[in-house]
Amino acid sequence: MSLEKYFVNNLIDITSKAAISCYPHLGKKDKIIADKSATDEMRKNLNNLSINGEVVIGEGELDEAPMLYIGEKLGNGNGPSIDIAVDPVEGTKFAAENLPGAISVLTISEKGNLFKAPETYMNKIAVGQNIDEDVVDLDFSIKKNIYNLSDFKNKKPENISVCILDRPRHEEIIKSLIEMKVKIKLITDGDVAGALLVSDQKYDIDIFLGIGGGPEGVIAASALDAMNCRFQGRFIFETDDDIQRAKQMGIKDLDKKYDLKEIVKGDSIFCATGITHSEIVNGIQKKGNSFTTETLVTHKSQNLVQKVQKKFSIK
């Protein structure tokens, strides 16, 4: 059974209201309070839904509340069992500095359909629509992935565009990309939005890769699934605590490479509301007590990929 259609409007409202709650804190140089405001608003509104919800991908563990933590139960208990993945503010630094790229995102699926793992890093690779399965792979070298994609798309390597987080851990990858003379888009934060750039030719990104947040990987995978894109991820369990929690969650192969269909099984709904402007969605627009939001929503079973603008009057 697919998720009920009414969830779509409810989830748009939830990410929109979380985004709006963050608005007063834009540019105030305090990413913690910006994130907390959105988190509290998202929790309150998720708890009003008629669901038996559980956060399977969140911002932390139980002892890190008030974040929406892994294992937290949400909803009023009078509805279907739902898995939830959340990131109330992706790009907290962007929000704190009032820079482009802050979004509020969440994904839901039927129980058991979202990969459940402790908050940790993930090695990721994503490409757009209609790319054959054997073209790119986490197990391939950077050079092989770029050359394979170049051949498949009938492009020269220097015309391939790569999006990657600007992090010291990617120094060797970036060096290799420079040697191949590919076009590189470095992002400072926001790897949900970064991964989504492969979904449409208008963004001019052929491939997204590198190590980023695991929660963001699962959330992005939900949207990419609805858009018929390809995604692979491998969780990185470095600390003893990470390894122990992974085993408690039933993860036996810590080095397993997961295909998109293993990360997001079956139907799912994804919502991303702009807090500040980004390539994916427009940020909040305020006029008096009226706020206009823009949300990218996908619902796999309904073949829905749409941007929705909504107006809220908040005193």
Side-chain angles (χ1 to χ4, degrees):
M1 179 183 292
S2 64
L3 298 170
E4 296 293 335
K5 288 183 181 180
Y6 76 85
F7 275 134
V8 171
N9 284 331
N10 283 323
L11 296 184
I12 291 172
D13 283 353
I14 289 171
T15 54
S16 292
K17 289 175 180 178
I20 292 168
S21 74
C22 187
Y23 184 87
H25 307 291
L26 295 181
K28 298 294 182 64
K29 314 296 183 183
D30 191 338
K31 64 182 183 180
I32 294 175
I33 191 66
D35 195 30
K36 184 181 185 304
S37 297
T39 298
D40 290 347
E41 186 70 15
M42 187 173 280
R43 173 183 282 116
K44 179 183 76 175
N45 290 304
L46 282 168
N47 274 326
N48 288 333
L49 285 183
S50 295
I51 59 171
N52 285 290
E54 180 182 355
V55 177
V56 297
I57 292 289
E59 297 183 293
E61 308 299 321
L62 177 59
D63 58 358
E64 295 176 39
M67 297 296 102
L68 280 156
Y69 59 87
I70 297 167
E72 182 171 357
K73 305 297 184 181
L74 296 169
N76 63 19
N78 298 317
S81 295
I82 296 293
D83 284 343
I84 304 169
V86 297
D87 196 350
V89 181
E90 192 204 27
T92 53
K93 185 188 299 182
F94 297 149
E97 301 291 336
N98 198 12
L99 295 171
I103 57 175
S104 181
V105 292
L106 71 82
T107 285
I108 70 167
S109 75
E110 295 168 25
K111 188 66 181 172
N113 282 359
L114 284 182
F115 189 89
K116 189 173 182 179
E119 184 185 26
T120 184
Y121 281 110
M122 176 193 278
N123 196 5
K124 317 170 191 181
I125 193 166
V127 290
Q129 301 174 4
N130 304 316
I131 306 296
D132 289 352
E133 288 187 8
D134 59 352
V135 174
V136 301
D137 196 286
L138 280 177
D139 290 334
F140 294 165
S141 68
I142 296 299
K143 188 173 183 178
K144 183 173 181 179
N145 277 320
I146 296 300
Y147 282 3
N148 280 2
L149 192 58
S150 171
D151 288 342
F152 185 82
K153 289 196 163 190
N154 196 26
K155 287 184 173 183
K156 294 180 180 179
E158 55 263 37
N159 291 327
I160 294 291
S161 298
V162 179
C163 181
I164 186 170
L165 278 168
D166 188 7
R167 294 289 188 273
R169 61 178 175 265
H170 293 147
E171 183 178 350
E172 289 303 313
I173 295 176
I174 293 170
K175 182 180 177 182
S176 179
L177 294 173
I178 291 172
E179 289 174 352
M180 287 184 282
K181 299 180 180 180
V182 303
K183 295 186 287 185
I184 304 171
K185 180 182 180 70
L186 293 176
I187 55 174
T188 58
D189 288 283
D191 56 338
V192 170
L196 295 186
L197 292 177
V198 305
S199 67
D200 195 307
Q201 291 182 357
K202 68 183 178 183
Y203 301 127
D204 191 29
I205 295 296
D206 296 295
I207 183 169
F208 172 84
L209 51 84
I211 296 170
E216 290 85 351
V218 173
I219 292 169
S222 171
L224 292 171
D225 189 23
M227 297 175 183
N228 297 312
C229 298
R230 293 198 57 235
F231 180 92
Q232 284 182 344
R234 178 180 282 119
F235 290 92
I236 300 171
F237 305 109
E238 291 183 324
T239 70
D240 290 339
D241 284 346
D242 285 344
I243 293 170
Q244 184 62 30
R245 286 198 295 269
K247 289 180 177 178
Q248 289 173 350
M249 291 178 175
I251 300 172
K252 297 178 180 179
D253 184 356
L254 300 180
D255 298 318
K256 179 175 170 59
K257 174 182 64 183
Y258 293 92
D259 186 70
L260 191 155
K261 302 298 183 185
E262 297 173 286
I263 297 172
V264 183
K265 302 174 184 175
D267 195 17
S268 67
I269 299 173
F270 163 94
C271 282
T273 299
I275 300 172
T276 58
H277 290 294
S278 71
E279 292 174 89
I280 302 297
V281 282
N282 289 323
I284 296 165
Q285 298 180 44
K286 183 176 185 291
K287 187 175 182 180
N289 291 326
S290 177
F291 295 84
T292 300
T293 63
E294 184 171 78
T295 302
L296 172 65
V297 57
T298 71
H299 186 184
K300 183 182 176 183
S301 72
Q302 300 298 319
N303 293 317
L304 176 67
V305 178
Q306 186 177 0
K307 291 183 182 180
V308 177
Q309 289 193 343
K310 295 197 75 170
K311 188 171 288 187
F312 300 82
S313 294
I314 297 177
K315 295 181 180 180

